[in-house]
């Protein structure tokens, strides 16, 4: 019930994150078509990370593949949360960066293998249904973490009411992290077992 109430409260942020993500994907597709050399120059580290991940799980048992994918996604989610410590906008920039790269990858695969946009996103759909909302939640936690000091200062100086903002935030974070972990486990299972079949 508590998690359901949190989702009802925060659904507008998640919907907004989805819109920003979709726009970022479209922009990534445009940039790859218009400035391929620029993308090749600045995308080396991003693509190298996924090549290393692919080599790590190649030929391994299915449970190892699922575990590696899950750990990679958990680390990405935790990074989105932790970045909020420095600036509230950084988790949103992470969201935009991931969207850009998905758009870029789609264009590259379409050019190299002839896979249409519809086929590409159909292949991502099974695990994306779980993975993307989990990442949106992590971004939301990162933004809230970055705003937390300002909220505390505002409350102390402007509000007569005293709420334990820090305690409430970390309690809600525990609930969200539990949900994120479960959703990413399901996403990893789909990514390892279902998505490759669709992409083929």
């Amino acid at each position: 019930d508590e998690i359901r109430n949190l989702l009802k409260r925060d659904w507008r942020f998640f919907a907004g994150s989805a819109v920003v993500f979709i726009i970022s994907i479209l922009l990534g597709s445009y940039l790859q078509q218009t400035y391929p050399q620029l993308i090749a120059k600045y995308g080396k580290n991003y693509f190298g990370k996924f090549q290393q991940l692919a080599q790590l799980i190649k030929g391994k048992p299915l449970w190892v593949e699922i575990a590696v994918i899950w750990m990679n996604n958990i680390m990405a989610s935790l990074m989105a949360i932790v970045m909020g410590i420095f600036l509230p906008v950084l988790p949103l920039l992470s969201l935009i960066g991931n969207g850009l790269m998905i758009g870029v990858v789609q264009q590259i695969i379409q050019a190299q293998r002839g896979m249409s946009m519809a086929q590409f996103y159909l292949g991502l759909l099974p695990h994306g249904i779980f993975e993307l909302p989990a990442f949106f939640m992590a971004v939301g936690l990162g933004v809230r973490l970055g705003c937390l000091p300002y909220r505390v200062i505002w409350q102390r100086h402007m509000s007569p009411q005293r709420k334990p903002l820090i305690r409430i935030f970390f309690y809600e974070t525990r609930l969200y992290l539990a949900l994120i972990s479960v959703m990413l486990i399901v996403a990893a299972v789909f990514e390892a077992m279902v998505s490759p079949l669709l992409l083929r």
Side-chain angles (χ1 to χ4, degrees):
D1 289 340
E2 290 177 312
I3 291 176
R4 189 181 299 113
N5 289 334
L6 288 176
L7 294 176
K8 286 181 180 179
R9 184 194 69 187
D10 297 335
W11 73 268
R12 290 180 181 84
F13 178 86
F14 302 144
S17 298
V19 172
V20 171
F21 191 71
I22 292 170
I23 292 173
S24 301
I25 291 174
L26 296 175
L27 181 58
S29 298
Y30 169 78
L31 290 175
Q32 174 59 29
Q33 291 177 325
T34 311
Y35 306 104
Q37 295 179 341
L38 182 69
I39 295 299
K41 179 180 178 181
Y42 290 101
K44 285 183 179 179
N45 292 335
Y46 185 90
F47 296 127
K49 181 182 73 171
F50 284 97
Q51 288 174 347
Q52 292 174 359
L53 182 64
Q55 290 297 322
L56 184 62
I57 63 179
K58 186 177 181 179
K60 297 292 193 303
L62 181 62
W63 70 269
V64 174
E65 185 175 347
I66 292 172
V68 170
I69 292 172
W70 179 74
M71 284 298 299
N72 181 70
N73 290 336
I74 281 288
M75 293 303 297
S77 297
L78 291 176
M79 185 64 67
I81 296 172
V82 171
M83 283 192 299
I85 295 174
F86 304 99
L87 276 176
V89 73
L90 290 181
L92 290 174
L93 293 179
S94 174
L95 177 71
I96 293 171
N98 277 277
L100 287 173
M101 285 300 107
I102 288 177
V104 168
V105 169
Q106 184 274 316
Q107 286 295 316
I108 291 174
I109 291 180
Q110 182 172 335
Q112 293 181 350
R113 302 187 181 183
M115 181 183 291
S116 69
M117 181 183 294
Q119 291 172 322
F120 177 81
Y121 290 113
L122 178 63
L124 299 184
L125 183 62
H127 68 271
I129 290 175
F130 299 96
E131 183 177 321
L132 291 179
F135 188 62
F136 297 158
M137 292 176 197
V139 170
L141 289 174
V143 172
R144 290 187 65 206
L145 177 60
C147 293
L148 188 59
Y150 307 103
R151 293 178 61 202
V152 171
I153 293 171
W154 174 265
Q155 178 181 258
R156 287 182 177 177
H157 288 84
M158 302 297 295
S159 176
Q161 297 180 341
R162 291 290 185 267
K163 293 182 180 180
L165 294 177
I166 296 176
R167 189 173 66 192
I168 291 173
F169 171 79
F170 283 106
Y171 176 73
E172 293 177 354
T173 298
R174 291 206 308 270
L175 296 177
Y176 265 127
L177 285 177
L179 180 60
I180 289 170
S181 298
V182 172
M183 293 179 71
L184 290 181
I185 289 173
V186 177
V189 171
F190 274 89
E191 189 169 349
M193 300 179 64
V194 179
S195 296
L197 298 178
L198 289 176
L199 288 172
R200 290 194 193 108

